Amino acid sequence: MSTFPDGIRFSVLDRSRTREGEDAPQALRATVRLAREVEALGYHRFWVSEHHGVPGVAGSAPTVLAAAVAAATSTVRVGTGGVMLPNHRPLVVAEQFGVLESLFPGRIDMGVGRSVGFTDGVRRALGGAKEDADRFGEQLAELLGWFTGGQSAHPQVHARPAEGLRVPPFVLATGEGAGIAAAAGLPLVMGDLRHRERLLTAVDAYRRAFRPSPWAAEPYVVVAGTVAVAADEAEARRLLMPEAWSLAYSRTRGVFPPLVPPERIEELPMTEKQRGFYESGLDGHLHGTEEQVAEALERAVKETGAQEVLVTTSTYDRAALSDSYRRLARAVGLTPPAA
């Protein structure tokens, strides 16, 4: 029987993935339904993501979607994984989270990242460029200043109703962002669990460089990754197939498509290059039975010293996805919230 450190938390990030045969509104409503389901299972947070101009992802306005999720739930923390600061003015982001925190006090998280648009066309439409990611540290400092009242970029301007509110900030990082999180004294969300050595190196560097801040007295690490749980290992691996094919398609066609059923994927002709990306997309994710996944997660948590695990699973069959989250909750010993 696996045992996890006291206080370890398990949370969910849903990317509002579209499925073949359904439209974006259906995918967004499904995200809200999933939030209610994982809340009932005892997960700590439910976060939503930001993507622009991507056929396979409906979530383009995470703070709007977070408001719908928060309104449909009552105990789970709700936030963003994340709002991409290069796409927005920090003042507007602060105002949006100020409104969320005002409407749902004590339940809102502000996860931010430094990614820019998926393609050059999307970046131009957003009014930005690749190099905008290099200003993330500066933007982050301004964003936090709007909450504390200490920003100096725009004298005599105040963010209403954000100023004076405490919305926990998190930095989503793949590498360089870990250093920015450490310097700012903020919790770090780091993926993915597949590339363990790189993950451990970044997490260790974050902890060594961490400087306590008004937002966090000590380092806080959230490790993110795909986790699929089913009755047997083969079925759990099957849950990974739709996302792996979407990744392979995007790498070779330049468009990230909606999810398709595993049986369709099995019949698809693939080029050698696509097959390579597809197999790579399947490898390394934590999947299997409840016992197998619990043991793998326990090992990951012990290796990284993480205080929280953020699960980001996507698959075509929504019922199977819900079942995976139920099995995972049981495997790690989550307790449903009190009625």
Side-chain angles (χ1 to χ4, degrees), residues 93-293:
V93 175
E95 290 172 337
Q96 290 172 346
F97 279 96
V99 170
L100 284 170
E101 177 63 20
S102 298
L103 293 174
F104 308 101
R107 291 180 57 212
I108 300 300
D109 300 319
M110 183 173 64
V112 296
R114 62 190 294 270
S115 295
V116 292
F118 187 63
T119 66
D120 287 338
V122 169
R123 286 189 286 271
R124 287 194 297 271
L126 290 169
K130 278 186 177 181
E131 54 269 24
D132 289 346
D134 298 335
R135 297 180 53 245
F136 177 66
E138 174 189 333
Q139 289 182 306
L140 179 63
E142 181 184 334
L143 173 62
L144 298 178
W146 288 116
F147 286 92
T148 63
Q151 70 81 27
S152 57
H154 305 280
Q156 299 182 338
V157 180
H158 299 271
R160 311 291 188 200
E163 189 170 310
L165 296 180
R166 296 283 296 182
V167 181
F170 296 76
V171 172
L172 281 67
T174 56
E176 183 179 340
I180 295 173
L186 300 181
L188 173 70
V189 183
M190 192 80 190
D192 64 37
L193 288 168
R194 293 191 300 170
H195 303 109
R196 196 64 55 85
E197 185 174 339
R198 187 170 66 192
L199 173 63
L200 292 174
T201 298
V203 167
D204 287 345
Y206 162 75
R207 289 197 175 102
R208 287 196 306 269
F210 184 87
R211 299 191 310 194
S213 74
W215 302 98
E218 56 188 26
Y220 187 91
V221 174
V222 183
V223 291
T226 295
V227 180
V229 194
D232 57 59
E233 189 173 356
E235 184 57 31
R237 183 174 172 84
R238 192 172 175 81
L239 296 181
L240 302 174
M241 291 170 59
E243 188 74 14
W245 168 245
S246 288
L247 176 64
Y249 190 96
S250 71
R251 293 287 181 85
T252 54
R253 301 287 186 88
V255 177
F256 201 79
L259 299 173
V260 298
E263 54 269 24
R264 280 274 312 283
I265 297 168
E266 291 169 334
E267 298 172 352
L268 288 172
M270 296 188 196
T271 65
E272 183 178 348
K273 189 174 184 180
Q274 284 177 329
R275 177 66 63 179
F277 283 128
Y278 174 66
E279 295 294 342
S280 176
L282 287 172
D283 289 343
H285 296 299
L286 302 189
H287 70 284
T289 64
E290 292 176 30
E291 183 177 352
Q292 289 172 323
V293 168

Side-chain angles (χ1 to χ4, degrees), residues 9 16 73 113 208 322:
R9 294 163 167 168
S16 302
T73 55
R208 287 196 306 269
S322 295

Side-chain angles (χ1 to χ4, degrees), residues 294-315:
E295 290 177 356
L297 278 173
E298 181 186 13
R299 188 162 53 250
V301 168
K302 287 182 177 178
E303 288 177 356
T304 62
Q307 288 97 333
E308 189 168 341
V309 177
L310 181 67
V311 182
T312 62
T313 310
S314 296
T315 193

Side-chain angles (χ1 to χ4, degrees), residues 15-70:
R15 295 165 56 217
S16 302
R17 294 288 274 113
T18 57
R19 274 73 173 168
E20 184 180 61
E22 76 172 14
D23 57 20
Q26 289 173 299
L28 293 169
R29 290 192 290 268
T31 289
V32 177
R33 289 195 300 271
L34 181 62
R36 289 196 292 262
E37 291 176 18
V38 302
E39 175 182 59
L41 292 169
Y43 286 92
H44 183 61
R45 308 180 204 276
F46 187 90
W47 284 4
V48 296
S49 64
E50 175 183 337
H51 296 273
H52 299 280
V54 181
V57 184
S60 57
T63 54
V64 177
L65 184 53
V69 169

